[in-house]
Amino acid sequence: MLVKLRDNNMCQYPGCPRSGVHAHHLYSRRHFGTRWNLDNIILLCAGCHFFIAHKEYEVFREFIVRRLGEDKYKTLRVLAYSTTKVDVELVLMGLKLLAKDLRC
């Protein structure tokens, strides 16, 4: 999984050293505009996933905005709620290229 390579298979919440992680989608997988966007996924341990991402939403959102930057966060939100069809073939090509880069 590309997210595991990108995030070194570790919880990405600041100060948390745990492995044994889950993939957390910022916008649900039902949003096809961001379903395969790597900016929409972050690795979190079970504790951070449940107690921060799902219970302390504003704290988590602020962390994500700092991580991505305000512009990228806003773009992700627009993509999530967009009704434009996603070109799945183009997404797959991009993910394959990224996988190749991350493995090098």
Side-chain angles (χ1 to χ4, degrees):
M1 179 186 267
L2 292 178
V3 174
K4 287 185 177 185
L5 283 172
R6 181 196 68 194
D7 292 349
N8 294 321
N9 207 28
M10 297 293 291
C11 181
Q12 295 300 296
Y13 196 75
C16 184
R18 296 188 195 116
S19 57
V21 291
H22 305 184
H24 173 71
H25 291 80
L26 307 177
Y27 292 97
S28 167
R29 290 179 293 168
R30 70 184 170 93
H31 297 282
F32 284 95
T34 53
R35 186 174 193 154
W36 299 283
N37 188 317
L38 289 181
D39 289 333
N40 188 48
I41 305 168
I42 188 169
L43 292 183
L44 299 171
C45 68
C48 290
H49 195 183
F50 182 75
F51 292 110
I52 298 173
H54 290 289
K55 298 279 186 181
E56 298 288 335
Y57 179 74
E58 276 306 308
V59 170
F60 187 70
R61 190 188 74 75
E62 288 173 12
F63 155 65
I64 292 299
V65 170
R66 282 192 311 273
R67 179 181 167 101
L68 295 176
E70 189 73 37
D71 290 342
K72 201 178 256 190
Y73 179 77
K74 286 179 182 178
T75 299
L76 198 60
R77 183 174 175 79
V78 168
L79 288 172
Y81 293 104
S82 173
T83 57
T84 305
K85 286 193 171 199
V86 174
D87 185 341
V88 177
E89 292 298 319
L90 187 59
V91 169
L92 288 175
M93 284 177 22
L95 290 173
K96 286 177 184 176
L97 287 172
L98 185 59
K100 187 177 178 181
D101 288 346
L102 286 173
R103 289 189 182 123
C104 292

